[in-house]
Coordinates of all heavy atoms in Angstrom, one line a residue:
F24 N 116.8 153.6 135.4 CA 117.3 152.6 136.3 C 116.2 152.1 137.3 O 116.3 150.9 137.7 CB 118.5 153.2 137.1 CG 119.7 153.3 136.3 CD1 120.3 154.5 136.0 CD2 120.3 152.1 135.8 CE1 121.5 154.6 135.2 CE2 121.5 152.2 135.0 CZ 122.0 153.4 134.7
G25 N 115.2 152.9 137.5 CA 114.1 152.4 138.3 C 113.3 151.3 137.6 O 113.0 150.2 138.2
I26 N 113.0 151.5 136.3 CA 112.3 150.5 135.6 C 113.2 149.3 135.4 O 112.7 148.1 135.5 CB 111.9 151.1 134.2 CG1 110.8 152.1 134.4 CG2 111.4 150.0 133.3 CD1 110.5 152.9 133.1
L27 N 114.5 149.5 135.2 CA 115.4 148.3 135.1 C 115.5 147.5 136.4 O 115.5 146.3 136.4 CB 116.8 148.9 134.7 CG 117.9 147.8 134.5 CD1 117.6 146.9 133.3 CD2 119.3 148.5 134.4
A28 N 115.5 148.2 137.5 CA 115.5 147.6 138.8 C 114.2 146.7 139.1 O 114.3 145.6 139.5 CB 115.7 148.6 140.0
V29 N 113.1 147.3 138.8 CA 111.8 146.6 139.0 C 111.8 145.4 138.1 O 111.4 144.2 138.5 CB 110.6 147.5 138.7 CG1 109.3 146.7 138.7 CG2 110.5 148.6 139.8
T30 N 112.1 145.5 136.8 CA 112.1 144.4 135.9 C 113.1 143.3 136.3 O 112.8 142.1 136.2 CB 112.5 145.0 134.5 OG1 111.6 146.0 134.1 CG2 112.4 143.9 133.4
S31 N 114.3 143.7 136.7 CA 115.3 142.8 137.1 C 114.8 142.0 138.4 O 115.0 140.8 138.5 CB 116.6 143.5 137.4 OG 117.1 144.1 136.3
F32 N 114.2 142.7 139.3 CA 113.7 142.1 140.5 C 112.8 141.0 140.2 O 112.9 139.8 140.7 CB 113.1 143.1 141.5 CG 112.4 142.5 142.6 CD1 113.1 142.0 143.7 CD2 111.0 142.4 142.6 CE1 112.4 141.4 144.8 CE2 110.3 141.8 143.6 CZ 111.0 141.3 144.7
F33 N 111.8 141.3 139.4 CA 110.7 140.3 139.1 C 111.3 139.2 138.2 O 110.9 138.0 138.3 CB 109.5 140.9 138.4 CG 108.6 141.6 139.4 CD1 108.6 143.0 139.5 CD2 107.9 140.9 140.3 CE1 107.8 143.6 140.4 CE2 107.1 141.5 141.3 CZ 107.1 142.9 141.3
A34 N 112.2 139.5 137.3 CA 112.8 138.4 136.5 C 113.6 137.4 137.4 O 113.5 136.2 137.2 CB 113.7 139.0 135.4
I35 N 114.4 137.9 138.3 CA 115.1 137.1 139.2 C 114.2 136.3 140.1 O 114.4 135.1 140.4 CB 116.2 137.9 140.0 CG1 117.3 138.4 139.1 CG2 116.8 137.1 141.1 CD1 118.2 139.5 139.7
L36 N 113.2 137.0 140.6 CA 112.2 136.3 141.5 C 111.5 135.1 140.8 O 111.4 134.0 141.3 CB 111.2 137.3 142.0 CG 110.1 136.7 142.9 CD1 110.6 136.3 144.2 CD2 109.0 137.8 143.1
V37 N 111.1 135.4 139.6 CA 110.4 134.3 138.8 C 111.4 133.2 138.5 O 111.0 132.0 138.6 CB 109.8 134.9 137.5 CG1 109.3 133.8 136.6 CG2 108.6 135.8 137.8
T38 N 112.6 133.5 138.1 CA 113.6 132.5 137.9 C 113.8 131.6 139.1 O 113.9 130.4 139.0 CB 114.9 133.1 137.4 OG1 114.6 133.9 136.2 CG2 115.9 132.0 137.1
I39 N 114.0 132.2 140.2 CA 114.2 131.5 141.5 C 113.0 130.6 141.8 O 113.2 129.4 142.2 CB 114.6 132.4 142.6 CG1 115.9 133.1 142.4 CG2 114.5 131.7 144.0 CD1 116.3 134.2 143.4
I40 N 111.8 131.1 141.7 CA 110.6 130.3 142.0 C 110.5 129.1 141.0 O 110.2 128.0 141.5 CB 109.4 131.2 142.0 CG1 109.4 132.2 143.1 CG2 108.1 130.4 142.0 CD1 108.3 133.2 143.1
V41 N 110.7 129.3 139.7 CA 110.6 128.2 138.8 C 111.7 127.2 139.1 O 111.4 126.0 139.0 CB 110.8 128.8 137.3 CG1 111.0 127.7 136.3 CG2 109.6 129.6 136.9
L42 N 112.9 127.6 139.3 CA 114.0 126.6 139.7 C 113.6 125.8 140.9 O 113.8 124.6 141.0 CB 115.3 127.3 139.8 CG 115.9 127.8 138.5 CD1 117.2 128.6 138.7 CD2 116.2 126.7 137.5
Y43 N 113.2 126.5 142.0 CA 112.8 125.9 143.2 C 111.7 124.8 143.0 O 111.9 123.7 143.4 CB 112.4 126.9 144.2 CG 111.8 126.3 145.5 CD1 112.6 125.7 146.4 CD2 110.4 126.3 145.7 CE1 112.1 125.1 147.6 CE2 109.9 125.7 146.8 CZ 110.7 125.1 147.8 OH 110.2 124.5 148.9
F44 N 110.6 125.2 142.4 CA 109.6 124.3 142.2 C 109.9 123.2 141.2 O 109.4 122.0 141.3 CB 108.3 125.0 141.8 CG 107.6 125.6 143.0 CD1 107.5 127.0 143.0 CD2 107.0 124.9 144.0 CE1 106.9 127.6 144.1 CE2 106.4 125.5 145.1 CZ 106.4 126.8 145.1
G45 N 110.8 123.5 140.2 CA 111.3 122.5 139.3 C 112.1 121.4 140.0 O 111.9 120.2 139.7
M46 N 112.9 121.8 141.0 CA 113.7 120.8 141.8 C 112.8 120.1 142.8 O 112.9 118.9 143.0 CB 114.8 121.5 142.5 CG 115.9 121.9 141.5 SD 117.4 122.6 142.3 CE 116.8 124.1 142.8
K47 N 111.9 120.8 143.4 CA 111.0 120.2 144.4 C 110.1 119.1 143.9 O 109.9 118.1 144.5 CB 110.2 121.3 145.1 CG 109.3 120.8 146.2 CD 108.5 121.9 146.9 CE 107.6 121.4 147.9 NZ 106.8 122.4 148.6
Y48 N 109.5 119.4 142.7 CA 108.6 118.4 142.2 C 109.1 117.6 141.0 O 108.4 117.1 140.2 CB 107.3 119.2 141.7 CG 106.6 119.8 142.9 CD1 106.6 121.2 143.1 CD2 105.9 119.0 143.8 CE1 105.9 121.7 144.2 CE2 105.3 119.5 144.9 CZ 105.3 120.9 145.1 OH 104.6 121.5 146.1
K49 N 110.4 117.5 140.9 CA 111.1 116.7 139.9 C 110.6 115.2 140.0 O 110.7 114.6 141.1 CB 112.6 116.8 140.0 CG 113.3 116.0 138.9 CD 114.8 116.1 139.1 CE 115.5 115.3 138.1 NZ 116.9 115.2 138.3
D50 N 110.3 114.7 138.8 CA 109.9 113.2 138.8 C 111.0 112.5 138.1 O 111.2 112.5 136.9 CB 108.6 113.1 138.0 CG 108.2 111.6 137.9 OD1 108.7 110.8 138.7 OD2 107.4 111.3 137.0
S51 N 111.9 111.8 139.0 CA 113.0 111.1 138.4 C 112.6 109.8 137.7 O 113.4 109.3 136.9 CB 114.0 110.8 139.5 OG 113.4 110.1 140.5
T52 N 111.4 109.3 138.0 CA 111.0 108.0 137.4 C 110.4 108.3 136.0 O 110.4 107.4 135.2 CB 110.0 107.3 138.3 OG1 108.8 108.1 138.4 CG2 110.6 107.0 139.6
G53 N 109.7 109.4 135.8 CA 109.0 109.7 134.6 C 107.7 109.0 134.5 O 107.1 109.0 133.4
E54 N 107.2 108.4 135.6 CA 106.0 107.7 135.5 C 104.7 108.5 136.0 O 103.6 108.1 135.7 CB 106.1 106.4 136.3 CG 107.1 105.5 135.8 CD 107.4 104.3 136.7 OE1 106.7 104.2 137.7 OE2 108.2 103.5 136.4
R55 N 105.0 109.4 136.8 CA 103.8 110.2 137.4 C 103.3 111.2 136.4 O 104.0 111.8 135.6 CB 104.2 110.9 138.6 CG 104.6 110.0 139.8 CD 104.8 110.7 141.0 NE 105.9 111.7 140.9 CZ 106.4 112.4 141.9 NH1 105.9 112.3 143.1 NH2 107.4 113.2 141.7
V56 N 102.0 111.3 136.4 CA 101.3 112.3 135.6 C 100.7 113.4 136.5 O 100.1 113.0 137.5 CB 100.2 111.6 134.7 CG1 99.5 112.6 133.9 CG2 100.9 110.6 133.8
G57 N 100.8 114.6 136.1 CA 100.3 115.7 137.0 C 98.7 115.7 137.0 O 98.1 115.2 136.1
A58 N 98.2 116.2 138.1 CA 96.8 116.3 138.3 C 96.2 117.4 137.4 O 96.9 118.3 137.1 CB 96.4 116.5 139.8
P59 N 95.0 117.3 137.0 CA 94.4 118.3 136.2 C 94.3 119.6 137.1 O 94.0 119.6 138.3 CB 93.0 117.9 135.9 CG 92.9 116.4 136.3 CD 94.1 116.1 137.2
I60 N 94.7 120.7 136.4 CA 94.7 122.0 137.2 C 93.5 122.8 136.8 O 93.2 123.0 135.6 CB 96.0 122.8 136.8 CG1 97.2 122.0 137.3 CG2 96.0 124.1 137.5 CD1 98.5 122.6 136.9
H61 N 92.8 123.4 137.8 CA 91.7 124.3 137.5 C 92.1 125.6 138.0 O 92.7 125.8 139.1 CB 90.4 123.8 138.3 CG 90.0 122.5 137.8 ND1 89.4 122.3 136.6 CD2 90.1 121.2 138.4 CE1 89.1 121.0 136.5 NE2 89.5 120.3 137.5
G62 N 91.9 126.7 137.2 CA 92.4 128.0 137.5 C 91.8 128.6 138.7 O 90.7 128.2 139.2
S63 N 92.4 129.6 139.3 CA 91.9 130.4 140.4 C 91.7 131.8 139.9 O 92.7 132.5 139.6 CB 92.9 130.4 141.5 OG 92.6 131.3 142.5
V64 N 90.5 132.3 139.8 CA 90.2 133.6 139.3 C 90.8 134.7 140.1 O 91.5 135.6 139.6 CB 88.7 133.8 139.1 CG1 88.4 135.2 138.7 CG2 88.1 132.8 138.1
P65 N 90.8 134.6 141.5 CA 91.4 135.7 142.3 C 92.9 135.7 142.1 O 93.5 136.8 142.0 CB 91.1 135.3 143.7 CG 89.9 134.5 143.6 CD 89.9 133.7 142.3
L66 N 93.6 134.6 141.9 CA 95.0 134.6 141.7 C 95.3 135.1 140.3 O 96.3 135.9 140.2 CB 95.5 133.1 141.8 CG 97.1 133.0 141.6 CD1 97.8 133.8 142.7 CD2 97.4 131.5 141.7
E67 N 94.6 134.8 139.3 CA 94.8 135.3 138.0 C 94.6 136.8 137.9 O 95.4 137.5 137.3 CB 93.8 134.7 137.0 CG 94.0 133.2 136.7 CD 95.2 132.9 135.9 OE1 95.7 133.8 135.1 OE2 95.6 131.8 135.9
L68 N 93.6 137.3 138.6 CA 93.4 138.8 138.7 C 94.5 139.4 139.4 O 95.0 140.5 139.0 CB 92.0 139.1 139.4 CG 90.8 138.7 138.6 CD1 89.5 138.9 139.4 CD2 90.7 139.5 137.3
L69 N 95.0 138.8 140.5 CA 96.1 139.4 141.3 C 97.3 139.6 140.5 O 97.9 140.6 140.4 CB 96.3 138.6 142.5 CG 97.5 139.1 143.4 CD1 97.0 140.4 144.1 CD2 97.8 138.1 144.5
W70 N 97.8 138.5 139.8 CA 99.0 138.6 139.1 C 98.9 139.3 137.7 O 99.9 139.5 137.0 CB 99.8 137.3 139.0 CG 99.3 136.2 138.2 CD1 98.8 136.2 136.9 CD2 99.4 134.8 138.5 NE1 98.5 135.0 136.5 CE2 98.9 134.1 137.4 CE3 99.9 134.1 139.6 CZ2 98.8 132.7 137.5 CZ3 99.8 132.8 139.6 CH2 99.2 132.1 138.6
S71 N 97.7 139.7 137.4 CA 97.5 140.6 136.2 C 97.4 142.0 136.7 O 97.9 142.9 136.0 CB 96.2 140.2 135.5 OG 96.3 138.9 135.0
F72 N 96.9 142.3 137.9 CA 96.6 143.6 138.4 C 97.9 144.2 138.9 O 98.2 145.4 138.7 CB 95.6 143.6 139.5 CG 95.1 144.9 139.9 CD1 94.4 145.7 139.0 CD2 95.3 145.4 141.2 CE1 93.9 146.9 139.4 CE2 94.9 146.6 141.6 CZ 94.2 147.4 140.7
I73 N 98.8 143.5 139.5 CA 100.0 144.0 140.1 C 100.9 144.6 139.0 O 101.4 145.7 139.1 CB 100.8 143.0 141.0 CG1 100.0 142.8 142.3 CG2 102.2 143.4 141.3 CD1 100.5 141.7 143.1
P74 N 101.2 143.8 137.9 CA 102.0 144.4 136.8 C 101.3 145.7 136.2 O 102.0 146.6 135.8 CB 102.2 143.3 135.8 CG 102.0 142.1 136.6 CD 101.0 142.4 137.6
F75 N 100.0 145.6 136.1 CA 99.3 146.8 135.6 C 99.5 148.0 136.5 O 99.8 149.1 135.9 CB 97.8 146.5 135.6 CG 96.9 147.6 135.2 CD1 96.9 148.1 133.9 CD2 96.1 148.3 136.1 CE1 96.1 149.1 133.5 CE2 95.4 149.3 135.8 CZ 95.3 149.8 134.5

Side-chain angles (χ1 to χ4, degrees):
F24 285 117
I26 292 172
L27 183 65
V29 169
T30 304
S31 299
F32 170 76
F33 282 107
I35 291 169
L36 178 67
V37 167
T38 301
I39 290 170
I40 290 171
V41 166
L42 291 174
Y43 170 75
F44 283 112
M46 289 186 288
K47 181 176 179 181
Y48 294 109
K49 179 182 177 186
D50 178 21
S51 58
T52 64
E54 296 174 2
R55 295 188 297 186
V56 176
I60 298 173
H61 300 285
S63 168
V64 174
L66 182 61
E67 294 285 342
L68 290 174
L69 179 70
W70 69 42
S71 297
F72 192 65
I73 290 174
F75 174 74

